[in-house]
Amino acid sequence: MSAPIAQPSTISTPPRVLIIGAGINGCGVFRDLCLQGIECLLVDRGDICEGASAAPSRLIHGGIKYLEIGEFRLVRESCIERNRLLRNAPHYVKPLETLVPIRSWLGGLLSSTLRFMGLKVRLNDRGIIITEIGLRLYDFYSHAIKVLPNHRFFNRTKLKHEVPLFDSSIIAAGLYYEGRVTHGERLGLELVLDGLHANPSSQIALYSKVIRTASGRFQLTNHLNDTTSDIEANYIVNAGGAWIDHINHGLGLETHYMGGSKGSHLIVDHPELFNALKGRMIYFGTADGRVNLAYPFFGHVLIGATDIKINHPDEAYCSDEEIDYLLGSIKEIFPTIHIERHHILLTYCGVRPLPSNDNTTMGNVSRDHYMAQDHIPGTTLPLVSLIGGKWTTFRAFADEISHHILSHFGIKRTHKTEDEAIGGGRHYPMTEMEQAEWISKKAELYRCKPSRMEALLHRYGTRAESIATLERDIGYQQLNSAPHYSSTEIIFLCRYEWVNRLADILLRRTEMAMAGHVNLPLIHEIAEIAAAELSWDQDRKHTEIQTAIKEMQRLSIRMAA
Ligand SMILES: Cc1cc2nc3c(=O)[nH]c(=O)nc-3n(C[C@H](O)[C@H](O)[C@H](O)COP(=O)(O)OP(=O)(O)OC[C@H]3O[C@@H](n4cnc5c(N)ncnc54)[C@H](O)[C@@H]3O)c2cc1C
């Protein structure tokens, strides 16, 4: 991409779109536009899905709690998108059985009515009737694409048997189904890979920033190798999440669209809590009127989330108070389970890209998505900022943005994304029987053990075949510090998955950090492989190791022994 700001007379055919921000929304827009034959440049100051998109509760959900603030459109759309993702990305999006503990029959009826009337009332007891109304509506919204069973209830006797450690004031529980994304960072990457496959003239630039110079040109700077180039675009998409206003400022546009709230999660290594969950999520109201969650995650338990107004997204971190609050909330439902700080495997914090607001209760701020349209000052170059939205709804949001851009250029959509499988979700064997057949057939084809093929299928979906091909061609060797990974697998990630930094591998291309597998020998072993593959000299390798260790410390990652 070259030449200065595009005016209508200089629009290239097909037009070029610059997308700033490779979170899930930027990745979604990139894939959608690439599928329509539009040439895109996707830029991020860091890695793919490194911002809020790496820090959610990892639910692919309708968002039942948003019914309480009257977000019916959003909940309906989210239920449909959840069901689509269960079909289109079955390798990473899985059903999640969910229990909502209930402490009364009538709790919440009056406060919900007052909330619907627009009054700010705390809702800290959601009784059987209000839960039944919510779950019925949820079933109704999920009907359009039916992939999950309807809800039902557990009475006190059934609960005593199913969750004996629940607090004795819990008299019943609603049981329904949500989705969870096991490895969202990889799903974002796969959207980008699918986009590049659909339109090889598109490009991505990671660890890079775009600014507008005093002379009005757009400059792309890669801050890993300090190179700068001029770029041209006919349309700009600002998908910078909580950083949208900062990015607009760099483009010469003053906006005040964003009013983010930070949310923290803990992953705890606590077998008693893990066993008490029996594979389910507990989605529970807390004494302070919020809704928190706990569910099994890579053999540990994910607990979340806080919701606290924040001024600058770069200042977000999980504080001691948040840790106390989250651990305290678990005590409300499991009073006999003691979780101490030493059980914490890691903490993470992200900033929700919410619209600017003067709400004191962040839970009341709309989670719907919007676009704000502007022009780069002094030009006719259009820019659209993507405000709000959930991980779950990225496809629908991308569809809307692409539609808007296509209409601007008078181009017809050629490709729909509703039923488009993503990455390793393509031709994914859905049932246990189909998986067993797939594994034995491919193990024979790639001359590996069925257990290896199975591990690759669960980690990469059907893209496992590409890794198995490389392992067959250059050999399979276990990592010394993480024997369920191979050195060839790491080589594959470096070669074909846009790895720039050691932390990209540990935190986003693999689940090593999330699953609690990282230790110092592993960091060094992977650094050796990456250095050879990415031509890092000794200095660069040393820097990468130090930066990765700092990143692990930032996330309070407890290094495995
Ligand atoms: C605590 C929490 C819990 C959540 N839970 C859920 C959930 O369970 N389910 C759900 O559906 N949603 C959930 N969400 C919402 C969801 O995670 C976000 O709405 C979504 O990830 C936003 O994606 P995004 O692409 O808009 O922003 P981001 O993922 O933040 O992406 C913005 C990107 O812009 C880049 N960037 C910033 N500045 C620049 C610059 N100057 N130049 C280039 N790039 C730049 C950043 O590096 C980043 O990659 C949660 C969010 C949070 C914070």
Side-chain angles (χ1 to χ4, degrees), residues 483-496:
H484 45 297
Y485 277 89
S486 80
S487 52
T488 318
E489 192 174 346
I490 306 302
I491 291 173
F492 179 90
L493 303 179
C494 292
R495 268 187 209 173
Y496 304 110

Side-chain angles (χ1 to χ4, degrees), residues 31 37 43 49 57 73 98 100 135 177 202 209 225 303 308 311 315 389 395 397 423 464 481 500 504 531 538 544 550:
R31 175 191 68 156
V43 178
C49 284
S57 302
R73 192 211 74 81
T98 300
V100 186
L135 291 178
Y177 294 84
S202 286
K209 277 188 176 179
N225 59 17
I303 301 172
I308 302 166
N311 290 327
E315 287 163 9
R395 191 214 61 83
F397 200 6
S481 347
N500 286 282
D504 296 348
Q538 284 300 327
E544 288 300 325
K550 267 195 208 138

Side-chain angles (χ1 to χ4, degrees), residues 20-27 43-61 66 208-210 239-244 246-247 261-265 293 305-306 348-353 386 388-393 397:
I20 306 179
I24 195 61
N25 284 320
C27 295
V43 178
D44 200 289
R45 69 172 189 174
D47 191 18
I48 295 167
C49 284
E50 179 178 336
S53 300
S57 302
R58 298 176 182 268
L59 297 181
I60 298 299
H61 65 155
Y66 305 128
S208 301
K209 277 188 176 179
V210 179
W243 293 270
I244 276 178
H246 303 270
I247 292 172
S261 101
K262 74 162 174 167
S264 293
H265 289 84
L293 56 88
T306 54
Y348 64 79
C349 180
V351 181
R352 300 172 181 88
L386 275 56
K390 296 165 58 185
W391 220 104
T392 309
T393 51
F397 200 6

Side-chain angles (χ1 to χ4, degrees), residues 97-102 153-175 272-284 294 330 332-337:
E97 199 169 274
T98 300
L99 276 181
V100 186
I102 299 168
F153 274 88
F154 282 176
N155 61 20
R156 198 194 273 269
T157 320
K158 176 88 172 154
L159 261 193
K160 269 242 153 329
H161 178 71
E162 288 290 332
V163 200
L165 296 184
F166 256 168
D167 182 50
S168 58
S169 69
I170 296 172
I171 59 166
L175 182 144
E272 191 188 7
L273 178 61
F274 181 84
N275 292 333
L277 297 173
K278 287 196 179 159
R280 300 185 181 110
M281 171 162 80
I282 313 291
Y283 197 61
F284 58 101
I330 295 293
E332 291 183 23
I333 45 165
F334 290 121
T336 60
I337 295 183

Side-chain angles (χ1 to χ4, degrees), residues 123-408:
L123 182 59
N124 45 12
D125 179 16
R126 295 158 179 91
I128 290 184
I129 294 181
I130 199 92
T131 307
E132 169 67 3
I133 295 171
L135 291 178
R136 275 195 184 207
L137 205 54
Y138 221 56
D139 288 343
F140 174 72
Y141 284 151
S142 304
H143 240 74
I145 301 175
K146 190 79 187 146
V147 288
L148 295 170
N150 281 350
H151 81 277
R152 55 189 204 276
F153 274 88
F154 282 176
N155 61 20
R156 198 194 273 269
T157 320
K158 176 88 172 154
L159 261 193
K160 269 242 153 329
H161 178 71
E162 288 290 332
V163 200
L165 296 184
F166 256 168
D167 182 50
S168 58
S169 69
I170 296 172
I171 59 166
L175 182 144
Y176 70 107
Y177 294 84
E178 288 289 14
R180 70 193 169 96
V181 57
T182 55
H183 205 146
E185 296 84 345
R186 288 200 55 82
L187 200 57
L189 166 84
E190 288 189 345
L191 288 170
V192 174
L193 295 174
D194 286 354
L196 288 169
H197 181 76
N199 190 345
S201 53
S202 286
Q203 295 171 352
I204 67 171
L206 300 175
Y207 294 96
S208 301
K209 277 188 176 179
V210 179
I211 53 147
R212 193 170 178 219
T213 63
S215 61
R217 293 200 323 274
F218 289 95
Q219 240 174 28
L220 177 74
T221 303
N222 178 313
H223 52 89
L224 284 182
N225 59 17
D226 271 336
T227 51
T228 294
S229 51
D230 281 355
I231 55 169
E232 150 190 299
N234 306 114
Y235 208 109
I236 300 182
V237 176
N238 183 346
W243 293 270
I244 276 178
D245 292 327
H246 303 270
I247 292 172
N248 281 340
H249 177 76
L251 300 175
L253 183 69
E254 295 310 320
T255 57
H256 301 280
Y257 294 136
M258 306 311 294
S261 101
K262 74 162 174 167
S264 293
H265 289 84
L266 317 175
I267 296 180
V268 297
D269 178 7
H270 199 292
E272 191 188 7
L273 178 61
F274 181 84
N275 292 333
L277 297 173
K278 287 196 179 159
R280 300 185 181 110
M281 171 162 80
I282 313 291
Y283 197 61
F284 58 101
T286 51
D288 62 351
R290 300 195 53 253
V291 181
N292 283 355
L293 56 88
Y295 70 89
F297 190 77
F298 289 114
H300 305 114
V301 179
L302 177 66
I303 301 172
T306 54
D307 200 350
I308 302 166
K309 200 166 192 140
I310 186 163
N311 290 327
H312 196 298
D314 287 338
E315 287 163 9
Y317 73 102
C318 176
S319 67
D320 282 347
E321 292 76 27
E322 288 177 278
I323 293 177
D324 288 342
Y325 167 78
L326 289 170
L327 295 183
S329 75
I330 295 293
K331 268 255 164 299
E332 291 183 23
I333 45 165
F334 290 121
T336 60
I337 295 183
H338 303 291
I339 314 174
E340 309 289 341
R341 287 191 175 228
H342 67 262
H343 292 117
I344 297 174
L345 204 57
L346 74 97
T347 67
Y348 64 79
C349 180
V351 181
R352 300 172 181 88
L354 301 180
S356 81
N357 63 84
D358 45 24
N359 244 302
T360 42
T361 310
M362 292 313 284
N364 291 339
V365 180
S366 170
R367 306 292 151 124
D368 213 337
H369 47 83
Y370 315 85
M371 62 173 129
Q373 298 170 52
D374 291 287
H375 285 93
I376 296 294
T379 78
T380 55
L381 180 60
L383 174 145
V384 64
S385 302
L386 275 56
I387 299 163
K390 296 165 58 185
W391 220 104
T392 309
T393 51
F394 77 83
R395 191 214 61 83
F397 200 6
D399 186 297
E400 201 178 310
I401 298 298
S402 303
H403 177 79
H404 179 76
I405 295 173
L406 292 173
S407 311
H408 174 84

